[in-house]
Amino acid sequence: MISSLPITLGSIYPNLQSWIAGRNPSKVLVVSDINTNKYCLPLIREALPPNTIHFVLEPGIDQHLEQVKTLDTAERVWTIMHQHAIDRHGLVLNLGGGVVTDLGGFCAAVYKRGIPYASVPTSLLAMTDAAIGGKTGVDFLGLKNMLGVVVQPEHVFVDPIFLQTLPPRELVSGYAEMVKHALLGERELLDSITSMGPPLRAEPPAMFKTLTLSIQTKISIVQADPMEKGLRQLLNFGHTIGHALESWFLQSPDPLTHGEAVAIGLIAESYLARSTQLQWLNTILGASFQHRNIPEWSFEALWANALHDKKNKQGTVQMAVPGKNPFELQMLATERRDFEKALRYYNNLANTR
Ligand SMILES: NC(=O)c1ccc[n+]([C@@H]2O[C@H](COP(=O)([O-])OP(=O)(O)OC[C@H]3O[C@@H](n4cnc5c(N)ncnc54)[C@H](O)[C@@H]3O)[C@@H](O)[C@H]2O)c1
Ligand SMILES: [Zn+2]
């Protein structure tokens, strides 16, 4: 346990095995996807009781899982839960990246008004962010995380061993959320990330330290404000613009990963906030992420997406960004003209690389 939130960082098999044996659930539903079913399930199979059933998520037509983080998929999960007569003494065990932990957590939280769930995050992004804090949900009407609830998992098991099979693009995607946590004011994390790059590289000891610090940052914010009444909004840094981009690029032939969208969002929002860390950010993210041009003709749709994303006042978009002091929340009311300026600022970085 690395805090009072039930999170174990370390060898997956013995920890999961003894935890499940101690809980003795009536049934276990493992929610995975086709990759984590193939690469990650073998590492936990022996820890699962005989009364285990599986739901394996298949990606959408262009191979992206985000396209199936939908209510339709949730309905399929609930149908299986019903068919196998899973009751409130059952357990949903998420084995996957953020799509699986968001979707599986949501299915558990809503089914029969809520049954317990636990998560084994297998992507860097899910280990450092998505699986921690209890936010669950699905996309709806093409907008990110429109439907969801905040319900804490009973336990989260983090083991970096799963990163060994994670595709490089997905590993890089996870860096974005660690960088976000560092920018919120955690100096030691910022130094740890700086020592990993640029470009960011996952050498095991440095990665373990950075991951631990990043998880601790997320935990301390979630504990201080579990229901996002104030401070927790800081975790949305980079996400107002990031989500607008992620939703828009979902319709394109080569969608952005969540982390790629957040990386652009961090740069654009830091530009708007006149952050003193902007240069550091450009260096560290510029060397690690491929530059993606945001076409000017998408700006109108992106603005419409951003207006949906947060509580907005009179045609401005409210963005949560770090203040001057560590862990200080600042809300930026952004007008469309500045929003577009920030996107152009990002686009122009391509010329400076
Ligand atoms: N709930 C939250 O607080 C929160 C926070 C951040 C992000 N999110 C959500 O998380 C999602 C993104 O998560 P993600 O980046 O993990 O994407 P993902 O779940 O789509 O996983 C990325 C890809 O990596 C594969 N994969 C995962 N682990 C693997 C492993 N160990 N070996 C081989 N392949 C593996 C998956 O099959 C998938 O193809 C988004 O939907 C985002 O909205 C939620
Ligand atoms: Zn995120």
Side-chain angles (χ1 to χ4, degrees):
M1 298 268 270
I2 58 172
S3 77
S4 56
L5 277 188
I7 298 169
T8 304
L9 187 58
S11 267
I12 184 69
Y13 173 74
N15 289 319
L16 184 66
Q17 199 270 343
S18 63
W19 184 77
I20 292 189
R23 270 195 94 273
N24 194 22
S26 57
K27 260 182 199 148
V28 176
L29 170 68
V30 174
V31 178
S32 63
D33 67 58
I34 49 165
N35 297 318
T36 62
N37 183 58
K38 181 171 167 191
Y39 298 113
C40 308
L41 185 63
L43 277 71
I44 67 160
R45 205 190 305 271
E46 298 294 310
L48 299 171
N51 51 356
T52 298
I53 51 174
H54 294 267
F55 178 86
V56 183
L57 188 60
E58 304 219 357
I61 34 173
D62 56 13
Q63 299 310 307
H64 287 271
L65 281 183
E66 186 70 34
Q67 284 165 330
V68 291
K69 198 178 107 176
T70 58
L71 212 44
D72 279 357
T73 310
E75 246 185 88
R76 286 174 46 223
V77 177
W78 289 321
T79 306
I80 286 172
M81 290 167 88
H82 173 70
Q83 284 167 347
H84 286 85
I86 294 191
D87 59 22
R88 288 191 191 182
H89 305 289
L91 173 77
V92 172
L93 184 67
N94 300 318
L95 177 71
V99 169
V100 162
T101 59
D102 273 11
L103 175 81
F106 177 66
C107 290
V110 170
Y111 180 77
K112 293 189 188 253
R113 298 204 180 91
I115 69 163
Y117 77 98
S119 292
V120 180
T122 60
S123 70
L124 180 59
L125 191 135
M127 289 178 194
T128 191
D129 197 2
I132 296 162
K135 277 195 184 178
T136 71
V138 294
D139 304 338
F140 188 57
L141 302 176
L143 292 166
K144 289 277 304 169
N145 308 328
M146 275 275 278
L147 305 175
V149 284
V150 181
V151 175
Q152 296 300 334
E154 280 208 354
H155 213 104
V156 180
F157 298 88
V158 178
D159 185 348
I161 194 162
F162 293 112
L163 301 179
Q164 288 176 3
T165 55
L166 191 66
R169 184 174 173 189
E170 299 299 341
L171 190 72
V172 170
S173 176
Y175 288 138
E177 305 281 9
M178 300 206 297
V179 167
K180 176 192 79 179
H181 289 158
L183 290 171
L184 303 185
E186 187 49 64
R187 188 72 226 182
E188 205 184 340
L189 177 57
L190 198 101
D191 292 344
S192 185
I193 288 175
T194 308
S195 71
M196 285 169 68
L200 293 163
R201 277 183 313 269
E203 312 301 344
M207 170 55 96
F208 197 79
K209 182 178 174 209
T210 310
L211 186 57
T212 307
L213 289 167
S214 180
I215 292 172
Q216 279 166 347
T217 304
K218 170 120 192 202
I219 291 170
S220 59
I221 292 175
V222 171
Q223 279 178 326
D225 177 21
M227 296 313 287
E228 202 170 307
K229 301 226 183 305
L231 187 69
R232 187 168 178 174
Q233 291 176 46
L234 257 186
L235 294 172
N236 295 327
F237 177 36
H239 283 65
T240 307
I241 292 183
H243 277 161
L245 288 164
E246 191 182 359
S247 299
W248 188 82
F249 272 93
L250 259 184
Q251 322 298 331
S252 84
D254 186 15
L256 294 168
T257 65
H258 178 74
E260 287 165 353
V262 170
I264 301 174
L266 287 174
I267 293 174
E269 293 181 20
S270 296
Y271 167 81
L272 288 170
R274 300 172 202 272
S275 164
T276 53
Q277 307 282 15
L278 186 57
Q279 204 44 53
W280 179 83
L281 199 53
N282 284 338
T283 310
I284 209 94
L285 296 182
S288 311
F289 287 81
Q290 213 191 336
H291 192 273
R292 290 287 293 268
N293 186 60
I294 309 162
E296 291 259 342
W297 58 268
S298 71
F299 286 8
E300 185 166 355
L302 290 171
W303 176 249
N305 282 355
L307 278 171
H308 272 295
D309 192 75
K310 286 280 158 303
K311 305 170 228 84
N312 299 299
K313 291 177 198 139
Q314 293 152 354
T316 63
V317 169
Q318 301 288 319
M319 292 181 193
V321 298
K324 286 206 169 45
N325 303 310
F327 299 104
E328 183 183 67
L329 172 68
Q330 183 192 331
M331 291 307 288
L332 273 188
T334 306
E335 293 181 354
R336 177 165 171 177
R337 201 181 32 166
D338 293 326
F339 178 85
E340 295 190 356
K341 230 165 121 183
L343 297 178
R344 283 191 194 100
Y345 169 79
Y346 169 77
N347 276 345
N348 287 334
L349 289 175
N351 306 325
T352 59
R353 284 179 188 172

